[in-house]
Amino acid sequence: MKLNTDRLHERIAALAEIGKTSDDGACRIALTDTDKQGRDLLVNWFRETGLKVEIDEIGNIFATLAGRKNGTQIMMGSHIDTVGNGGHLDGCYGVIAALEVIETFIEQDKVPQYDLTVAIFTNEEGVRFQPDMMGSLVYVNGMSVENAHDTISTDGITLKEELTRTGYLGSMKCGLIRPYAFLELHIEQGPILEKKGITIGAVDNVQGISWTDVVFKGQSNHAGTTPMEMRHDAGFAASKLTVAVREIANVVGSGQVATVGVINPKPNLINVVPGEAQLTVDLRNSDAKKLKIAEFLLHEKIKEICEDEEVTCQTDQLVRFDPVKFDSRISDLIATTANYLNLSCVHINSGAGHDAQMMARICPTAMIFVPSRDGISHNPKEYTDPEFLDAGLEVLFETVYRLDKGYLD
Ligand code: HGY
Ligand code: MN
Ligand code: MN
């Protein structure tokens, strides 16, 4: 099947111009002006392609080509919001490739059996509003629309206010479309495919995610006059926990990962002992039991640090998702399709969270990965060789084509 890969690359480049940072990264944080501009660009493309565009109450965008069996959808999708200084492919590649699949059906005069829908989910990254994958979580009824609307951003504004301000507070009920199947094409964002020299990853599952906000409270004091034994240094407590988080990953082992991504001492002044320190802990594991052990060790460590430093601590669970297993019929279809296209393929797990892990709650779902150069992502250096992007598009098209022939029937 001849796919218009030039248009794929042109559109990725066009979207990359919106929210471009000085070091050629992407900054389209959920429901900021640049996210809105990105959404407007995609909606424009959807409309130019003649698709029916619908927006739901949480701002998820759906664009549909009607099939013969109107009312049953094969859905493809991802997100276009980014972290603060991300790359141009995370999420965007999957959305633009999904549009390319639909456009190919139209241009080749192939009327699909099922409706084909491309989805853009709101706030996948979760860096401004938690939890991440919020739009797809609400879509599958894992969070109420009301709670999501009332969520307050890190800059102090509710999600509903931002949906209204950007014009993406839609009226369509969340979850109205119950897809026949859901596929997400995405860059791996890790080093595995590249290290193995493999082009396609058929993703079998997504690891569990636990995000905790931690605030230590001690006593601000003079950095010069306060004897060490009299200090209740919240900054020191936060630093001890940061080191402990790395040790927890080592102790739990078997793929446990742990990150302290945010540390904010207060008052953050050179000659003041920090009276308060806020930090975030991101723990992940594909083994649900091991993830629980890591969380247990985290809270034990917090208690120990509070006793030693005589500080108090407030924790808030921002995100908690168990590991997710995708439908093996779909991940196997992806693998056989890749082989049919003479592309090397391996079954793989996802280290990153994705909207597909939410969609797996309501319909047969799996993901297709393509390699990330040096395994880098959430970084302006995020890059995937064009021929890998083209290969991923080919596998997405062919997989959808087979699903549309009733592969799951
Ligand atoms: O955090 C994640 O894994 C995803 O990028 N939201
Ligand atoms: Mn993503
Ligand atoms: Mn991401």
Side-chain angles (χ1 to χ4, degrees):
M1 182 61 61
K2 183 79 194 85
L3 291 151
N4 190 335
T5 50
D6 290 346
R7 186 167 51 194
L8 174 80
H9 300 305
E10 282 154 17
R11 284 180 169 158
I12 290 172
L15 179 54
E17 287 306 309
I18 298 176
K20 183 179 262 189
T21 57
S22 55
D23 52 358
D24 196 22
C27 182
R28 285 191 308 278
I29 291 178
L31 297 173
T32 57
D33 291 346
T34 49
D35 183 34
K36 171 186 168 44
Q37 289 157 30
R39 286 164 164 262
D40 293 349
L41 179 68
L42 268 292
V43 166
N44 207 15
W45 288 339
F46 294 157
R47 292 215 162 100
E48 281 170 359
T49 310
L51 304 183
K52 182 177 77 171
V53 177
E54 296 164 290
I55 298 164
D56 74 11
E57 297 164 301
I58 194 76
N60 295 322
I61 302 168
F62 303 96
T64 300
L65 169 71
R68 282 193 300 277
K69 276 187 179 171
N70 205 316
T72 309
Q73 287 79 16
I74 296 173
M75 190 183 283
M76 303 163 273
S78 195
H79 61 96
I80 62 165
D81 66 299
T82 71
V83 292
N85 196 17
H88 299 307
L89 296 170
D90 177 0
C92 311
Y93 167 51
V95 169
I96 293 171
L99 173 57
E100 200 51 52
V101 166
I102 293 179
E103 210 143 358
T104 305
F105 269 83
I106 296 170
E107 289 171 352
Q108 315 262 340
D109 293 326
K110 289 185 179 318
V111 179
Q113 191 183 196
Y114 297 115
D115 295 354
L116 300 183
T117 297
V118 41
I120 300 176
F121 290 107
T122 297
N123 185 35
E124 189 277 344
E125 292 295 0
V127 292
R128 185 183 182 208
F129 299 93
Q130 284 87 32
D132 58 346
M133 284 81 73
M134 184 190 272
S136 47
L137 179 65
V138 171
Y139 186 83
V140 300
N141 208 19
M143 179 181 193
S144 73
V145 173
E146 295 70 25
N147 280 347
H149 278 175
D150 295 343
T151 304
I152 297 180
S153 67
T154 48
D155 46 326
I157 193 162
T158 67
L159 188 104
K160 185 166 188 176
E161 286 168 305
E162 288 295 81
L163 284 169
T164 309
R165 185 182 67 83
T166 54
Y168 280 93
L169 178 65
S171 53
M172 178 184 172
K173 281 276 167 258
C174 289
L176 212 56
I177 304 178
R178 313 295 288 185
Y180 166 80
F182 180 83
L183 281 169
E184 182 168 3
L185 171 61
H186 206 288
I187 52 173
E188 179 203 333
Q189 301 181 288
I192 298 166
L193 291 176
E194 183 178 67
K195 272 209 178 102
K196 291 176 181 270
I198 299 276
T199 305
I200 298 291
V203 187
D204 291 322
N205 59 45
V206 182
Q207 63 181 347
I209 302 177
S210 165
W211 284 1
T212 308
D213 186 67
V214 180
V215 179
F216 285 108
K217 288 208 169 126
Q219 187 183 54
S220 269
N221 217 325
H222 195 295
T225 56
T226 313
M228 293 312 286
E229 68 278 9
M230 280 179 63
R231 293 185 181 206
H232 307 293
D233 184 338
F236 178 64
S239 310
K240 281 183 88 170
L241 188 62
T242 303
V243 171
V245 160
R246 169 62 66 92
E247 286 159 358
I248 287 170
N250 298 337
V251 161
V252 172
S254 61
Q256 178 65 43
V257 291
T259 312
V260 171
V262 174
I263 303 183
N264 287 310
K266 277 188 187 155
N268 203 25
L269 299 170
I270 188 164
N271 57 355
V272 181
V273 175
E276 187 176 316
Q278 178 255 343
L279 68 152
T280 59
V281 181
D282 178 326
L283 300 171
R284 306 197 195 197
N285 201 313
S286 46
D287 178 324
K289 288 199 203 75
K290 296 263 197 264
L291 184 57
K292 280 208 171 73
I293 292 169
E295 288 173 313
F296 171 78
L297 294 174
L298 172 71
H299 288 281
E300 285 301 291
K301 196 66 190 175
I302 288 171
K303 271 190 241 156
E304 184 193 305
I305 290 169
C306 287
E307 274 155 33
D308 293 352
E309 195 58 25
E310 291 178 48
V311 295
T312 58
C313 187
Q314 168 89 30
T315 60
D316 179 20
Q317 180 95 58
L318 299 175
V319 167
R320 186 57 176 86
F321 299 131
D322 270 333
V324 168
K325 192 152 176 32
F326 287 138
D327 188 316
S328 57
R329 295 172 298 170
I330 309 244
S331 58
D332 287 346
L333 173 62
I334 290 165
T336 47
T337 302
N339 294 332
Y340 163 78
L341 294 167
N342 296 318
L343 296 167
S344 56
C345 179
V346 68
H347 282 265
I348 190 171
N349 298 335
S350 175
H354 298 286
D355 293 308
Q357 76 187 82
M358 302 305 168
M359 295 305 285
R361 297 185 189 187
I362 63 167
C363 68
T365 295
M367 293 185 73
I368 304 163
F369 274 176
V370 293
S372 292
R373 186 175 62 185
D374 303 331
I376 289 180
S377 183
H378 282 189
N379 178 318
K381 291 195 172 63
E382 182 181 279
Y383 178 83
T384 295
D385 292 353
E387 75 266 19
F388 291 146
L389 296 177
D390 298 351
L393 170 63
E394 234 189 323
V395 173
L396 180 66
F397 178 86
E398 199 57 42
T399 305
V400 166
Y401 194 74
R402 293 168 176 215
L403 284 169
D404 190 51
K405 290 273 172 256
Y407 170 78
L408 287 177
D409 293 346

